[in-house]
Amino acid sequence: QVQLVESGGGLVQTGGSLRVSCAASGRTLSSYVMGWFRQAPGNEREFVACISVSSDSTYYADSVKGRFTISRDNAKNTVYLQMNSLAPEDTAVYYCAASSEWTYRGASYHTWGQGTQVTVSS
């Protein structure tokens, strides 16, 4: 199945912006729902956003709605998460994942990337 690799994480100040990317290899992303999840130290993994196969639909966690935007470019085999108005509470390892169904449940995502660290300084 598809392999996923995240990139673009780093350090940003409160109120700043960052875009993380998820590139696929092995298979194309064109048949998968794609999601972003995050996990902060001491916290459980939480859903962030997901996007349908054709980009017709997106869904966001309440904590990021209005600040984050998920997008995908199937021709480039890449999914993105644009993060604006970042706050220290957004500090976490961000993971992309692929699913065969429309869902925000992490357990339903069958393929995961290794994660990329996003740190928001206060």
Side-chain angles (χ1 to χ4, degrees), residues 2-24:
V2 66
Q3 295 87 50
L4 304 173
V5 178
E6 300 94 335
S7 63
L11 176 65
V12 64
Q13 294 186 59
T14 297
S17 297
L18 200 65
R19 188 180 76 164
V20 291
S21 302
C22 175

Side-chain angles (χ1 to χ4, degrees), residues 4 14 18 30 43 52 94 103 112 118 120:
L4 304 173
T14 297
L18 200 65
S30 60
N43 292 2
S52 62
Y94 283 72
T103 180
W112 293 77
V118 172
V120 184

Side-chain angles (χ1 to χ4, degrees), residues 20-116:
V20 291
S21 302
C22 175
S25 62
R27 294 177 64 97
T28 66
L29 295 177
S30 60
S31 62
Y32 299 111
V33 170
M34 297 299 298
W36 284 98
F37 297 78
R38 67 186 183 185
Q39 186 169 24
N43 292 2
E44 62 184 359
R45 183 186 64 195
E46 65 175 334
F47 168 79
V48 175
C50 59
I51 186 167
S52 62
V53 169
S54 62
S55 300
D56 289 339
S57 299
T58 58
Y59 183 69
Y60 298 91
D62 288 342
S63 59
V64 306
K65 191 173 184 178
R67 299 188 297 122
F68 290 11
T69 303
I70 187 171
S71 62
R72 68 192 298 162
D73 187 336
N74 287 342
K76 294 182 178 179
N77 225 22
T78 303
V79 62
Y80 306 93
L81 184 68
Q82 177 67 47
M83 301 179 286
N84 298 328
S85 301
L86 284 163
E89 307 89 82
D90 297 313
T91 295
V93 176
Y94 283 72
Y95 299 91
C96 67
S99 173
S100 298
E101 61 183 87
W102 180 244
T103 180
Y104 58 80
R105 292 187 172 94
S108 296
Y109 284 76
H110 53 73
T111 305
W112 293 77
Q114 85 292 339
T116 186

